[in-house]
Amino acid sequence: MYGAQHLHEFGGLPAVDFQHTTDRGSRPAPDAVAWRVFVDPYGDEDRDRPWADEFADFLSAVDPAGVRALIIGQWGEAYDENSSMPINLVIAAADRLTSLEAVFVGDLEAEQAEITWIEQSDVTALLAAFPALTEFGVRGGTDLLFPPTKHERLRSLTVQAGGLPVEVVRGVLDSELPALERLDLWLGVSAYEGNTDVTDLAPLLSGTRFPRLNHLGLRNSEVQNEIAAALASAPVVAQLRVLDLSNGTLGDEGAAALLEGQPLTHLDALDLHHHFLTEAMEQRVRSVLEPHGVRVDLSERNEPWGGRGVDGRYTAVSE
């Protein structure tokens, strides 16, 4: 299995690590990059410091009024201290971060902490504190809270987890997000609290919950075939330009259900990478969709592996 990787870009900007030791004149402009603020309790002495100190240095060294995108990276031992500490510090600086449009919480890669070790908290406090946000993301499902919330401007929401609790999914789907255009949920596996059932997705699949939605990712799931079968007749598909079912356990049965359901030829892209399709089914998918201009990603074909996952199939990210 693959681990989650650091963001290379966020909010439409390249991701750059804030270094408190870097000379001020050599830093990029505040609005030119997505700033990743992180510490490393096991790294060199320049990184082995409290996240609060690193964030304070960030606010002093980079004009906070110009910052458009902020990435909260490792804030300490993420399996021991939850994300409420860095979230509260960012909220406390809301009157200084007046241009902030995008926030990501928990950009840790596998070498820092497995995705299921990242202790999260109620991340919707950030949405309440920053009404101008257009993009929000979070990694890690452990103790993650997302009670139903309201946000007028949010256009993109990403929740990455090795196991996403159904309570979080329901909170997202019960939220009032009238501007939402992109939703990306990593549902994960039951062994790590990924207990969302296809029936829990009904409000989303109906197409009435988020009327502006055009990019839907239901990814990294061990019930990928069931999701594909549900999407075959789901009204939401008609409004989509991109459908992403990657990183999960999709097999021939799920792909066949998609092809035998409603037409998908209106899509710009169908992402199925990390899958368990046979070569024959891959060819069938391509022959149906690619002549209509649909970009199909069928990279990373896998073979079932005994003793792992469901029927030997496994998600790309679970631990």
mmCIF file of all heavy atoms in Angstrom, residues 103-126:
data_model
loop_
_atom_site.group_PDB
_atom_site.id
_atom_site.type_symbol
_atom_site.label_atom_id
_atom_site.label_comp_id
_atom_site.label_asym_id
_atom_site.label_seq_id
_atom_site.Cartn_x
_atom_site.Cartn_y
_atom_site.Cartn_z
ATOM 1 N N VAL A 103 -7.282 26.523 3.168
ATOM 2 C CA VAL A 103 -6.623 25.946 4.347
ATOM 3 C C VAL A 103 -6.669 24.431 4.235
ATOM 4 O O VAL A 103 -7.718 23.855 3.891
ATOM 5 C CB VAL A 103 -7.304 26.378 5.660
ATOM 6 C CG1 VAL A 103 -6.643 25.691 6.854
ATOM 7 C CG2 VAL A 103 -7.243 27.898 5.835
ATOM 8 N N PHE A 104 -5.540 23.795 4.550
ATOM 9 C CA PHE A 104 -5.467 22.333 4.621
ATOM 10 C C PHE A 104 -4.911 21.967 5.993
ATOM 11 O O PHE A 104 -3.908 22.528 6.425
ATOM 12 C CB PHE A 104 -4.566 21.769 3.526
ATOM 13 C CG PHE A 104 -4.657 20.270 3.383
ATOM 14 C CD1 PHE A 104 -5.509 19.692 2.445
ATOM 15 C CD2 PHE A 104 -3.902 19.427 4.189
ATOM 16 C CE1 PHE A 104 -5.600 18.315 2.312
ATOM 17 C CE2 PHE A 104 -3.981 18.054 4.071
ATOM 18 C CZ PHE A 104 -4.846 17.491 3.134
ATOM 19 N N VAL A 105 -5.554 20.995 6.650
ATOM 20 C CA VAL A 105 -5.169 20.591 8.002
ATOM 21 C C VAL A 105 -4.650 19.157 7.980
ATOM 22 O O VAL A 105 -5.383 18.226 7.640
ATOM 23 C CB VAL A 105 -6.358 20.684 8.974
ATOM 24 C CG1 VAL A 105 -5.908 20.321 10.398
ATOM 25 C CG2 VAL A 105 -6.987 22.071 8.945
ATOM 26 N N GLY A 106 -3.379 18.969 8.336
ATOM 27 C CA GLY A 106 -2.851 17.622 8.497
ATOM 28 C C GLY A 106 -2.062 17.104 7.319
ATOM 29 O O GLY A 106 -2.160 15.919 6.980
ATOM 30 N N ASP A 107 -1.263 17.953 6.702
ATOM 31 C CA ASP A 107 -0.455 17.516 5.557
ATOM 32 C C ASP A 107 0.790 16.790 6.055
ATOM 33 O O ASP A 107 1.897 17.315 6.026
ATOM 34 C CB ASP A 107 -0.078 18.712 4.689
ATOM 35 C CG ASP A 107 0.696 18.288 3.449
ATOM 36 O OD1 ASP A 107 0.460 17.166 2.962
ATOM 37 O OD2 ASP A 107 1.539 19.073 2.972
ATOM 38 N N LEU A 108 0.566 15.573 6.529
ATOM 39 C CA LEU A 108 1.652 14.708 6.980
ATOM 40 C C LEU A 108 1.772 13.554 6.008
ATOM 41 O O LEU A 108 0.766 12.976 5.579
ATOM 42 C CB LEU A 108 1.383 14.152 8.377
ATOM 43 C CG LEU A 108 1.611 15.074 9.574
ATOM 44 C CD1 LEU A 108 0.514 16.122 9.666
ATOM 45 C CD2 LEU A 108 1.642 14.260 10.859
ATOM 46 N N GLU A 109 2.987 13.207 5.643
ATOM 47 C CA GLU A 109 3.192 12.034 4.810
ATOM 48 C C GLU A 109 3.478 10.827 5.690
ATOM 49 O O GLU A 109 3.665 10.952 6.904
ATOM 50 C CB GLU A 109 4.306 12.272 3.801
ATOM 51 C CG GLU A 109 5.651 12.598 4.386
ATOM 52 C CD GLU A 109 6.682 12.893 3.297
ATOM 53 O OE1 GLU A 109 6.285 12.875 2.119
ATOM 54 O OE2 GLU A 109 7.847 13.114 3.636
ATOM 55 N N ALA A 110 3.485 9.647 5.075
ATOM 56 C CA ALA A 110 3.541 8.401 5.834
ATOM 57 C C ALA A 110 4.772 8.316 6.727
ATOM 58 O O ALA A 110 4.716 7.721 7.813
ATOM 59 C CB ALA A 110 3.493 7.209 4.877
ATOM 60 N N GLU A 111 5.903 8.911 6.308
ATOM 61 C CA GLU A 111 7.113 8.839 7.116
ATOM 62 C C GLU A 111 6.965 9.618 8.423
ATOM 63 O O GLU A 111 7.668 9.365 9.397
ATOM 64 C CB GLU A 111 8.309 9.373 6.323
ATOM 65 C CG GLU A 111 8.804 8.446 5.220
ATOM 66 C CD GLU A 111 7.872 8.424 4.018
ATOM 67 O OE1 GLU A 111 6.989 9.305 3.918
ATOM 68 O OE2 GLU A 111 8.027 7.518 3.177
ATOM 69 N N GLN A 112 6.042 10.585 8.445
ATOM 70 C CA GLN A 112 5.810 11.366 9.659
ATOM 71 C C GLN A 112 4.748 10.721 10.532
ATOM 72 O O GLN A 112 4.877 10.696 11.760
ATOM 73 C CB GLN A 112 5.370 12.782 9.272
ATOM 74 C CG GLN A 112 6.445 13.562 8.548
ATOM 75 C CD GLN A 112 5.905 14.878 8.014
ATOM 76 O OE1 GLN A 112 4.880 14.932 7.339
ATOM 77 N NE2 GLN A 112 6.583 15.960 8.347
ATOM 78 N N ALA A 113 3.694 10.223 9.922
ATOM 79 C CA ALA A 113 2.626 9.535 10.647
ATOM 80 C C ALA A 113 1.714 8.865 9.629
ATOM 81 O O ALA A 113 1.337 9.489 8.632
ATOM 82 C CB ALA A 113 1.808 10.509 11.506
ATOM 83 N N GLU A 114 1.393 7.601 9.866
ATOM 84 C CA GLU A 114 0.398 6.964 9.019
ATOM 85 C C GLU A 114 -0.906 7.761 9.099
ATOM 86 O O GLU A 114 -1.213 8.380 10.120
ATOM 87 C CB GLU A 114 0.162 5.514 9.461
ATOM 88 C CG GLU A 114 1.366 4.607 9.349
ATOM 89 C CD GLU A 114 1.723 4.255 7.914
ATOM 90 O OE1 GLU A 114 0.966 4.645 6.992
ATOM 91 O OE2 GLU A 114 2.763 3.601 7.705
ATOM 92 N N ILE A 115 -1.666 7.723 8.026
ATOM 93 C CA ILE A 115 -2.854 8.568 7.948
ATOM 94 C C ILE A 115 -3.845 8.283 9.080
ATOM 95 O O ILE A 115 -4.524 9.194 9.567
ATOM 96 C CB ILE A 115 -3.521 8.418 6.552
ATOM 97 C CG1 ILE A 115 -4.543 9.538 6.321
ATOM 98 C CG2 ILE A 115 -4.118 7.035 6.382
ATOM 99 C CD1 ILE A 115 -5.031 9.604 4.883
ATOM 100 N N THR A 116 -3.901 7.036 9.548
ATOM 101 C CA THR A 116 -4.830 6.702 10.623
ATOM 102 C C THR A 116 -4.305 7.098 11.998
ATOM 103 O O THR A 116 -5.027 7.001 12.985
ATOM 104 C CB THR A 116 -5.142 5.191 10.620
ATOM 105 O OG1 THR A 116 -3.920 4.452 10.726
ATOM 106 C CG2 THR A 116 -5.868 4.786 9.350
ATOM 107 N N TRP A 117 -3.040 7.536 12.065
ATOM 108 C CA TRP A 117 -2.485 7.982 13.342
ATOM 109 C C TRP A 117 -2.719 9.473 13.582
ATOM 110 O O TRP A 117 -2.468 9.962 14.685
ATOM 111 C CB TRP A 117 -0.975 7.728 13.383
ATOM 112 C CG TRP A 117 -0.570 6.295 13.270
ATOM 113 C CD1 TRP A 117 -1.393 5.198 13.176
ATOM 114 C CD2 TRP A 117 0.769 5.796 13.215
ATOM 115 N NE1 TRP A 117 -0.653 4.056 13.061
ATOM 116 C CE2 TRP A 117 0.682 4.385 13.079
ATOM 117 C CE3 TRP A 117 2.016 6.392 13.257
ATOM 118 C CZ2 TRP A 117 1.807 3.575 13.002
ATOM 119 C CZ3 TRP A 117 3.140 5.591 13.175
ATOM 120 C CH2 TRP A 117 3.028 4.194 13.054
ATOM 121 N N ILE A 118 -3.136 10.189 12.550
ATOM 122 C CA ILE A 118 -3.287 11.635 12.675
ATOM 123 C C ILE A 118 -4.537 11.941 13.495
ATOM 124 O O ILE A 118 -5.651 11.630 13.086
ATOM 125 C CB ILE A 118 -3.391 12.298 11.293
ATOM 126 C CG1 ILE A 118 -2.153 11.970 10.447
ATOM 127 C CG2 ILE A 118 -3.546 13.815 11.441
ATOM 128 C CD1 ILE A 118 -2.266 12.433 8.997
ATOM 129 N N GLU A 119 -4.335 12.535 14.643
ATOM 130 C CA GLU A 119 -5.456 12.861 15.533
ATOM 131 C C GLU A 119 -6.056 14.202 15.120
ATOM 132 O O GLU A 119 -5.420 15.243 15.241
ATOM 133 C CB GLU A 119 -4.975 12.923 16.989
ATOM 134 C CG GLU A 119 -4.458 11.614 17.541
ATOM 135 C CD GLU A 119 -5.574 10.664 17.944
ATOM 136 O OE1 GLU A 119 -6.706 11.132 18.131
ATOM 137 O OE2 GLU A 119 -5.295 9.453 18.059
ATOM 138 N N GLN A 120 -7.291 14.152 14.650
ATOM 139 C CA GLN A 120 -7.956 15.363 14.210
ATOM 140 C C GLN A 120 -8.894 15.888 15.299
ATOM 141 O O GLN A 120 -8.836 15.462 16.452
ATOM 142 C CB GLN A 120 -8.704 15.095 12.896
ATOM 143 C CG GLN A 120 -7.789 15.025 11.684
ATOM 144 C CD GLN A 120 -7.149 16.363 11.348
ATOM 145 O OE1 GLN A 120 -7.529 17.406 11.878
ATOM 146 N NE2 GLN A 120 -6.153 16.333 10.466
ATOM 147 N N SER A 121 -9.768 16.813 14.954
ATOM 148 C CA SER A 121 -10.673 17.448 15.912
ATOM 149 C C SER A 121 -11.828 18.051 15.113
ATOM 150 O O SER A 121 -12.058 17.649 13.965
ATOM 151 C CB SER A 121 -9.923 18.537 16.701
ATOM 152 O OG SER A 121 -9.384 19.515 15.829
ATOM 153 N N ASP A 122 -12.537 19.011 15.678
ATOM 154 C CA ASP A 122 -13.627 19.666 14.948
ATOM 155 C C ASP A 122 -13.028 20.703 14.006
ATOM 156 O O ASP A 122 -12.689 21.819 14.409
ATOM 157 C CB ASP A 122 -14.599 20.328 15.921
ATOM 158 C CG ASP A 122 -15.811 20.931 15.221
ATOM 159 O OD1 ASP A 122 -15.809 21.008 13.970
ATOM 160 O OD2 ASP A 122 -16.768 21.324 15.919
ATOM 161 N N VAL A 123 -12.907 20.335 12.744
ATOM 162 C CA VAL A 123 -12.252 21.218 11.782
ATOM 163 C C VAL A 123 -13.193 22.292 11.252
ATOM 164 O O VAL A 123 -12.742 23.249 10.604
ATOM 165 C CB VAL A 123 -11.668 20.403 10.603
ATOM 166 C CG1 VAL A 123 -10.581 19.456 11.092
ATOM 167 C CG2 VAL A 123 -12.761 19.637 9.866
ATOM 168 N N THR A 124 -14.478 22.177 11.502
ATOM 169 C CA THR A 124 -15.413 23.182 10.985
ATOM 170 C C THR A 124 -15.245 24.526 11.680
ATOM 171 O O THR A 124 -15.755 25.539 11.191
ATOM 172 C CB THR A 124 -16.872 22.713 11.120
ATOM 173 O OG1 THR A 124 -17.185 22.516 12.509
ATOM 174 C CG2 THR A 124 -17.105 21.415 10.365
ATOM 175 N N ALA A 125 -14.531 24.552 12.801
ATOM 176 C CA ALA A 125 -14.252 25.831 13.454
ATOM 177 C C ALA A 125 -13.502 26.769 12.512
ATOM 178 O O ALA A 125 -13.687 27.995 12.562
ATOM 179 C CB ALA A 125 -13.436 25.598 14.725
ATOM 180 N N LEU A 126 -12.666 26.212 11.653
ATOM 181 C CA LEU A 126 -11.947 27.033 10.682
ATOM 182 C C LEU A 126 -12.897 27.631 9.655
ATOM 183 O O LEU A 126 -12.736 28.783 9.234
ATOM 184 C CB LEU A 126 -10.871 26.206 9.993
ATOM 185 C CG LEU A 126 -9.582 25.982 10.788
ATOM 186 C CD1 LEU A 126 -8.784 24.838 10.204
ATOM 187 C CD2 LEU A 126 -8.747 27.254 10.827
#
